[in-house]
Amino acid sequence: MIKLPPISLYVHIPWCIKKCGYCDFYSYVSKKNIPELEYVKNLLKDLEKDLKLIHKRKISSVFIGGGTPSLLNSESIKNLIKGIKKRTKLSKFSEITIESNPKLIEYKRFRNYKKSGINRFSLGVQTFNSRLLKVIERTYDRKEAIRAIKEIKKINNNFNLDIMYGLPGQSLKNVLSDLKYAVKYNPTHISWYQLTIEPNTSFYVKNLNLPHENIIFKMFNQGEKFLKKSGYIKYEISSYMKLNYTCQHNLNYWNFGDYIGIGCGAHGKITKTNGEIIRTIKNKNINDFINGKYIDIKKLILDQDKPFEYFMNAFRLYKPIYKKHFQERTNISINDIKKNIKKALQKKYIIEKSDSWETTTKGKMFLNSLLKIFLN
């Protein structure tokens, strides 16, 4: 009998007030009223179908992302959380996160979110520089971002701030200023990551004034030192926490756990009792989804692809990767990846112990090159 991994739940809310030029997540701008009631009803029906695949496992965490989930009113979130709890085995201590846009923080609405069961908020600030916020096409300014943080702090102590570096026209001074503002408000978690321009975004075809790679390296080095000095522990490539405040939901991804993905365009990963792993992608057409056509793609992860999929997540973490864990999560023998491991060792991307592997500083710096070694 295969030991099934922990499983979490991702809920996708696809609407936004504006599509940012760097965003490659599935979302679209709402030009009219959002069909909230219909969408939530169908989210729960979508969930019911997927629950048949998970063999009565407890849901370890819930993450409501998007898009902009905070566009939904408090009654919709209340019905969603109530419906999830009714249909699943969800511990009263489970982490339940909602992503929020600083433009949309309303104290009453967010207080009701908390009453509904939300116990962690994630605020997409990106930068406190009003000029740079315009450049990356955000819909608020520095004052609104700070006001949003203050409102969140009134409601809940456990919250994350998303901050980016390497923005067009951004200086090292700008980056350190952003981090100083962020730690001033004492978030329990900071996601600090470099802006990357993906092919399917509007920024990809623009001539952006991105900082030189040498400047970006200085941003990374000095920013990381500042966060460490400020009491934040780095546990993943772009994640920094106060003690005992890891993002449990993301940690499950990085540990190659399972997750149900419900809602338009949501992705899922589910391990079957025979060791097979399937990926699911939900219908991106909102009208089709509301009419009950939830699943778009369901495909099997081939055995030869499992090592890459596993290490693509696990190598991001700042901790040993235990060989036993790899075998449990992939149902693949260590012998099947001996050549790949040998090559990674020769490149000095990893170090090996009798029971584990761990990425070196070089391995973290050249993560894509390391992962290519395991690419089928």
Side-chain angles (χ1 to χ4, degrees):
M1 182 78 173
I2 296 297
K3 182 180 179 181
L4 295 174
I7 191 161
S8 56
L9 171 63
Y10 174 74
V11 184
H12 193 72
I13 310 298
W15 296 281
C16 276
I17 52 177
K18 186 181 185 301
K19 184 82 171 177
C20 299
Y22 60 86
C23 179
D24 69 334
F25 291 112
Y26 171 64
S27 63
Y28 59 90
V29 177
S30 175
K31 299 292 185 184
K32 54 184 179 180
N33 290 335
I34 295 171
E36 294 186 39
L37 287 175
E38 285 182 274
Y39 190 69
V40 169
K41 283 180 185 176
N42 281 279
L43 281 173
L44 296 173
K45 288 179 181 177
D46 186 13
L47 173 61
E48 287 171 1
K49 288 182 177 293
D50 277 1
L51 287 176
K52 296 172 184 176
L53 303 172
I54 72 167
H55 301 283
K56 299 181 180 180
R57 278 178 280 173
K58 281 188 178 181
I59 301 295
S60 59
S61 62
V62 179
F63 195 100
I64 306 170
T68 309
S70 54
L71 279 172
L72 299 192
N73 64 47
S74 50
E75 193 64 24
S76 294
I77 294 297
K78 178 183 176 182
N79 291 336
L80 174 62
I81 300 298
K82 186 178 178 181
I84 290 170
K85 288 182 175 180
K86 184 178 178 181
R87 290 164 175 80
T88 65
K89 292 181 177 181
L90 186 66
S91 165
K92 66 179 181 178
F93 300 111
S94 292
E95 177 189 272
I96 306 177
T97 303
I98 189 167
E99 286 186 329
S100 316
N101 183 311
K103 189 77 174 177
L104 299 166
I105 303 295
E106 296 175 17
Y107 180 72
K108 186 177 179 182
R109 177 188 290 188
F110 276 70
R111 185 178 60 191
N112 288 335
Y113 284 178
K114 175 78 179 287
K115 288 179 180 178
S116 299
I118 302 291
N119 54 31
R120 184 177 182 272
F121 293 85
S122 184
L123 192 61
V125 172
Q126 315 310 352
T127 176
F128 290 94
N129 186 304
S130 294
R131 177 184 64 82
L132 291 174
L133 284 168
K134 280 186 179 180
V135 169
I136 61 172
E137 302 179 356
R138 301 297 280 179
T139 57
Y140 50 87
D141 59 21
R142 184 179 72 88
K143 287 183 179 179
E144 288 173 302
I146 291 171
R147 181 187 67 83
I149 295 171
K150 290 178 177 178
E151 291 298 315
I152 289 287
K153 280 180 71 70
K154 291 177 187 175
I155 301 157
N156 205 61
N157 286 327
N158 188 11
F159 68 98
N160 169 69
L161 294 182
D162 279 351
I163 307 290
M164 290 198 296
Y165 67 94
L167 305 180
Q170 189 180 38
S171 68
L172 176 59
K173 185 178 178 180
N174 295 150
V175 170
L176 295 176
S177 176
D178 279 344
L179 292 178
K180 285 174 185 176
Y181 266 111
V183 302
K184 176 182 176 181
Y185 297 103
N186 200 33
T188 52
H189 193 282
I190 295 176
S191 297
W192 184 59
Y193 51 95
Q194 183 185 344
L195 170 67
T196 54
I197 308 300
E198 302 295 343
N200 56 333
T201 63
S202 64
F203 275 12
Y204 189 72
V205 294
K206 289 186 177 181
N207 185 20
L208 299 169
N209 180 28
L210 294 174
H212 188 273
E213 60 182 19
N214 291 339
I215 300 297
I216 288 177
F217 188 65
K218 286 182 181 178
M219 291 174 175
F220 169 74
N221 270 337
Q222 293 192 31
E224 188 165 275
K225 285 177 183 176
F226 175 78
L227 286 169
K228 185 178 180 180
K229 186 179 176 181
S230 301
Y232 287 88
I233 302 162
K234 185 175 188 178
Y235 70 101
E236 186 266 343
I237 278 182
S238 58
S239 299
Y240 302 78
M241 64 165 180
K242 286 293 182 76
L243 189 62
N244 298 325
Y245 280 98
T246 56
C247 176
Q248 292 300 318
H249 188 85
N250 287 345
L251 197 58
N252 186 48
Y253 290 155
W254 298 322
N255 280 316
F256 208 54
D258 282 353
Y259 50 96
I260 299 170
I262 62 172
C264 285
H267 289 233
K269 168 192 168 283
I270 300 171
T271 305
K272 298 165 71 174
T273 53
N274 64 359
E276 290 182 344
I277 301 174
I278 57 170
R279 292 257 183 218
T280 60
I281 303 176
K282 299 303 171 64
N283 201 320
K284 289 185 178 180
N285 185 299
I286 186 64
N287 293 319
D288 284 349
F289 187 86
I290 287 176
N291 286 316
K293 298 175 183 176
Y294 306 132
I295 195 75
D296 182 28
I297 297 172
K298 185 189 286 186
K299 64 177 182 179
L300 183 71
I301 299 179
L302 301 176
D303 282 350
Q304 58 262 40
D305 294 327
K306 286 180 181 178
F308 173 78
E309 296 245 0
Y310 175 89
F311 288 122
M312 182 174 62
N313 292 282
F315 280 149
R316 295 178 63 93
L317 292 168
Y318 282 77
K319 69 170 191 176
I321 300 165
Y322 290 98
K323 296 175 182 180
K324 182 181 178 183
H325 186 271
F326 168 82
Q327 291 181 120
E328 285 178 350
R329 294 290 163 95
T330 63
N331 201 31
I332 298 290
S333 169
I334 299 298
N335 292 328
D336 293 343
I337 59 168
K338 271 188 173 180
K339 289 182 180 179
N340 312 76
I341 293 293
K342 184 179 179 181
K343 189 172 181 181
L345 288 166
Q346 288 170 344
K347 294 278 187 179
K348 293 184 169 51
Y349 290 152
I350 64 171
I351 55 174
E352 184 174 32
K353 295 182 180 178
S354 60
D355 63 346
S356 65
W357 308 288
E358 195 166 351
T359 43
T360 60
T361 301
K362 183 182 179 182
K364 283 286 192 288
M365 191 175 293
F366 297 99
L367 185 59
N368 287 341
S369 298
L370 168 57
L371 291 173
K372 281 180 183 177
I373 293 172
F374 296 90
L375 189 62
N376 178 38

